């Protein structure tokens, strides 16, 4: 057995070191909010042209100079900023990921994950474990998707949609490179938000016609993204409910959707796709896949986020295969697409 797998089985020989390790895990909540501070105050944007002092950043941002310095000092200790001397700070490679509106940006993801809706839900995490399901309705008065659909939460919903789009960008390139669109003419991105995935496939294959099916507050951003990429002529975005009906297509993209829902609802989504798919059609599911128990696994931590904010879960391959079998699909290929995500190609049976 490797040292990685033995960690929890070995009796502690150094209680002080163990206590320090647990404290380091606990301080993760502070690290998350430091990232939020950097993102919200656009520190990376201010430093994009070169190193600056905290006072210079504070003057640009309208923030408190000493508090800004303390934030930037903490960020430097986390490797997000570099200290150039004389209280001047610059961007590291990690820090550059918090710039806004640049390829690969994680700024919106940071703000969404540490924002009001999700942070309040995390406060009730122990009760979610006791009850076996999300306590988001208790925290927010409604489920997370109803919350984002409220007009008064439009800005937060847009931020979440952008975050999902940015996260999508981390895996879309790998998925597009790995997937063959041979024999595919029409593609529906089920719950596709701003359409990043289907639009990337359309850019790679000029013959494809694509569509996003999502809630009303999401489809406008998809239309705007298609127009920005010059793909409006081959693209449509339709407001709808994927639990009720999906449009016919040769290919369904189901990316980071199933982990939001329990088995019954996942089966419904997949059955809707199976009922509507054109003859010989396929589906491509992109999700994290839980690996061997006991090994470091981002999917198991994401699973805790699903438990906190939705009634969904991350799944292992056996659990995915059970869903597919129950809804008229069979997994034909599996491959990593980057960022801890996998492409699961399905054929109709």
């Amino acid at each position: 057995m490797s040292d990685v797998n033995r960690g929890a089985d070995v009796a502690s020989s150094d209680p002080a070191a163990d206590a320090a390790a647990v404290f380091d895990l606990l301080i993760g909540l502070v690290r998350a909010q430091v990232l939020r501070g950097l993102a919200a105050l656009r520190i990376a944007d201010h430093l994009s042209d070169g190193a600056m002092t905290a006072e210079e950043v504070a003057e640009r941002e309208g923030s408190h100079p000493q508090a800004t310095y303390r934030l930037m000092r903490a960020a430097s200790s986390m490797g997000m900023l570099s200290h150039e001397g004389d209280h001047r700070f610059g961007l590291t490679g990690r820090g550059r990921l918090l710039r806004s509106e640049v390829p690969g940006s994680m700024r919106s993801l940071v703000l969404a994950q540490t924002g009001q809706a999700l942070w309040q839900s995390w406060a009730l995490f122990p009760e979610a474990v006791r009850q076996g399901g999300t306590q988001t309705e208790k925290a927010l008065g409604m489920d997370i998707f109803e919350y984002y659909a409220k007009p008064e939460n439009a800005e937060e919903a847009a931020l979440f949609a952008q975050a999902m789009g940015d996260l999508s960008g981390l895996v879309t390139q790998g998925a597009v490179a790995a997937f063959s669109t041979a024999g595919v003419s029409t593609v529906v991105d089920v719950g596709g938000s701003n359409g990043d995935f289907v639009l990337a496939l359309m850019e790679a294959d000029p013959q494809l016609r694509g569509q996003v099916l999502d809630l009303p507050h999401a489809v406008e951003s998809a239309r705007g993204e298609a127009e920005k990429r010059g793909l409006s002529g081959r693209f449509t975005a339709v407001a709808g409910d994927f639990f009720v009906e999906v449009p016919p297509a040769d290919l369904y993209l189901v990316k980071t959707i199933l982990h939001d829902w329990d088995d019954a609802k996942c089966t419904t989504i997949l059955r809707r796709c199976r009922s509507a798919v054109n003859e010989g059609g396929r589906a491509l599911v992109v999700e994290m896949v839980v690996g061997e128990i006991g090994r470091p696994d981002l999917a198991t931590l994401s699973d805790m986020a699903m438990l906190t904010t939705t009634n969904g879960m991350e799944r292992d391959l056996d659990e995915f295969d059970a869903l597919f079998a129950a809804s008229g699909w069979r997994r034909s290929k599996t491959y990593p697409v980057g960022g801890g995500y996998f492409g699961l190609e399905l054929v109709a049976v």
Side-chain angles (χ1 to χ4, degrees), residues 243-292:
F243 291 114
V244 177
E245 185 179 15
V246 299
D250 300 323
L251 172 67
Y252 293 101
L253 305 178
V254 188
K255 184 179 69 59
T256 59
I257 297 296
L258 299 183
H259 74 164
D260 287 332
W261 306 101
D262 61 25
D263 286 355
K265 290 189 175 181
C266 287
T267 301
T268 297
I269 296 168
L270 292 167
R271 280 177 177 166
R272 295 291 176 264
C273 296
R274 176 63 183 86
S275 296
V277 69
N278 294 333
E279 185 175 356
R282 293 176 285 163
L284 175 60
V285 170
V286 177
E287 293 282 0
M288 288 187 173
V289 176
V290 174
E292 181 182 344

Side-chain angles (χ1 to χ4, degrees), residues 183-199:
V184 177
S185 297
T186 56
V187 185
V188 170
D189 199 342
V190 179
S193 187
N194 71 349
D196 181 71
F197 194 7
V198 65
L199 292 171

Side-chain angles (χ1 to χ4, degrees), residues 6-19:
R6 295 179 64 245
D9 300 326
V10 178
S12 172
S13 59
D14 189 345
D18 287 343

Side-chain angles (χ1 to χ4, degrees), residues 191-226:
S193 187
N194 71 349
D196 181 71
F197 194 7
V198 65
L199 292 171
L201 275 180
M202 291 168 64
E203 288 174 330
D205 185 345
Q207 304 304 312
L208 288 182
R209 301 189 66 85
Q211 183 176 101
V212 159
L213 172 72
D214 212 321
L215 297 174
H217 70 270
V219 295
E220 283 303 319
S221 66
R223 293 186 183 114
E225 185 66 21

Side-chain angles (χ1 to χ4, degrees), residues 11-187:
S12 172
S13 59
D14 189 345
D18 287 343
V22 172
F23 186 78
D24 185 64
L25 294 173
L26 178 62
I27 211 71
L29 67 91
V30 179
R31 293 191 180 101
Q33 288 299 333
V34 168
L35 292 179
R36 178 171 179 79
L38 291 175
L41 274 65
R42 298 183 181 273
I43 301 294
D45 289 340
H46 294 310
L47 298 179
S48 60
D49 292 330
M52 299 174 64
T53 66
E55 289 75 12
E56 291 170 324
V57 170
E59 183 177 359
R60 286 190 178 190
E61 183 60 31
S63 56
H64 189 279
Q66 185 186 30
T68 302
Y69 169 72
R70 291 164 67 185
L71 169 63
M72 295 174 72
R73 180 177 63 186
S76 178
S77 75
M78 292 165 50
M80 299 299 296
L81 302 180
S82 60
H83 185 234
E84 307 295 338
D86 295 327
H87 288 191
R88 297 175 66 81
F89 295 88
L91 285 178
T92 63
R94 298 177 188 178
R96 292 188 185 96
L97 295 175
L98 297 189
R99 290 176 298 171
S100 56
E101 299 179 359
V102 296
S105 173
M106 299 179 72
R107 179 177 182 271
S108 294
L109 183 63
V110 166
L111 290 173
Q113 292 294 326
T114 58
Q116 175 176 314
L118 300 185
W119 208 251
Q120 286 188 69
S121 299
W122 273 113
L124 300 178
F125 176 68
E127 194 60 24
V129 177
R130 289 191 180 98
Q131 299 296 328
T134 177
Q135 300 298 298
T136 296
E137 290 193 22
K138 185 175 180 180
L140 302 177
M142 63 198 78
D143 73 36
I144 192 67
F145 301 109
E146 292 172 331
Y147 177 88
Y148 285 136
K150 291 282 187 181
E152 60 267 31
N153 299 322
E155 184 176 348
E156 197 170 353
L159 184 67
F160 180 78
Q162 181 62 51
M164 295 303 97
D166 291 343
L167 181 60
S168 172
L170 298 176
V171 300
T172 292
Q173 184 176 0
V176 170
F179 182 78
S180 170
T181 55
V184 177
S185 297
T186 56
V187 185

